[in-house]
Structure formats: C-alpha cells, structure tokens
Amino acid sequence: GDSVTQMEGPVTLSEEAFLTINCTYTATGYPSLFWYVQYPGEGLQLLLKATKADDKGSNKGFEATYRKETTSFHLEKGSVQVSDSAVYFCALIKIQGAQKLVFGQGTRLTINP
Amino acid sequence: NAGVTQTPKFQVLKTGQSMTLQCAQDMNHNSMYWYRQDPGMGLRLIYYSASEGTTDKGEVPNGYNVSRLNKREFSLRLESAAPSQTSVYFCASRITSATNEKLFFGSGTQLSVL
C-alpha cells in the first residue's frame, strides 16, 4: 500500500544551521506531496505542497522538491530559527482513487539559540 | 472562524464506556478524515469519507465506527473504549479540484481511557 517514510528524530540544531528532513514515499500512480508542521499544543498546519514531479513547494523559508526518480520530497531550510521548533510531517495523497491521506511518522525538530 | 471544529477538546473515559467525537466543517469540503496521533507513531488514519454518505476504513479502524450523515459532519464513535485508544484524535477535511487542493485540520481531541 501507499506509505511515507521520514528520517528518524528527534533532530536538534543550533540557530542559523541548515536543515534537511528526509522523506521518501511509496505509491502507485502520481500522488500529491505535502509537509505539515505541528507546533507545541496545536493541530497540524500545511507548510508546503507539490502536486507533480519536479514541482518545488516553498513557504516561510522552507522548500521541498518533488523528485519522482528518487520518490523523495526532502524538506530544507537554509537558516533555522528557534521558532521553527515543531514536529514536521510528510504526507501524500492520490487525487484519483481512494483519496487516502497518508502521513509519515513525524520528525521532532528542536532549535537551540 | 471558518474551518474544522472538533468537540470535545478533552475527554476522560473509563474502560468500556462509549462516546462520540464530533467534527464539522463549514467549507463545503467533500472529503473528511479521522486520524489518531500517538508518540513515535505519527498520524494513523482511522476512517475517511470521500463524499457525503460514503465511508472507508483506514489503517487502524478496529474499535471505531464513523458516520457521515451530511456534507458538514463526520463523527467518530468508540463503542467500548479501551486504554489502547488513549490518544490525540484529529479530524481533517479536504477539497480537491483540477486547480485547487486544500486540507484543513481541527485542533484535536485529547482522549484518555482509564
């Protein structure tokens, strides 16, 4: 079945460091890919998305490129801030068919000042 | 505010008790979802509904039932709660078209089963 695998957490970085959170997926067809963020005590918020191969999603300094050849959608940010501390979820959905929205297990990110 | 509204925000049950988690969206979305979030396991899909009147099982449907009586509301029922159902539950709704794809989450329900 369709699945999403994220890099193991937790991840701890210093402020202004470069961030990469790896995400790979398994799916038939052509899914849309998402990154969601969950700040402490809150629900999930859409961070960025990409709906077809080679699309780049971006928001708040975060970027991710839909790579069909490697089935990946890695999240990157050039200079993280303390306020980026949160749990990040990679997810996929197929527009056709069952329309199940499948999430990875989440990666907890902590940024130290 | 428009969006996805979940109730209650917190609930404590005893083993064997039943309850219904309510979810409503006022955005005219077709698809709705129920997830549970557990430490180290991320979000797991319990049930989803692609449209009014239809429901399908997700990854972890056992012990739950759902009802999508109209387009706005998608409720999740625990008939006989078990400690393994202690979790945070999220409802979500989604709309998709040829030019638009949006997904919204509720704020969550923290459920403890003693």
Side-chain angles (χ1 to χ4, degrees), chain A residues 94-113:
Chain A
K94 290 190 293 189
I95 305 304
Q96 288 76 34
Q99 299 187 33
K100 285 197 290 187
L101 179 57
V102 178
F103 284 85
Q105 74 271 32
T107 302
R108 181 174 298 279
L109 173 66
T110 301
I111 307 300
N112 294 321

Side-chain angles (χ1 to χ4, degrees), chain A residues 12 15-16 19 21 27 34 41 43 45 55 57 59 61 66 73 89 97 99 102:
Chain A
T12 303
E15 205 165 22
E16 299 183 2
L19 169 70
I21 300 178
F34 305 86
Q45 303 174 31
D55 269 2
N59 186 26
Y66 189 144
F73 193 54
F89 292 91
Q99 299 187 33
V102 178

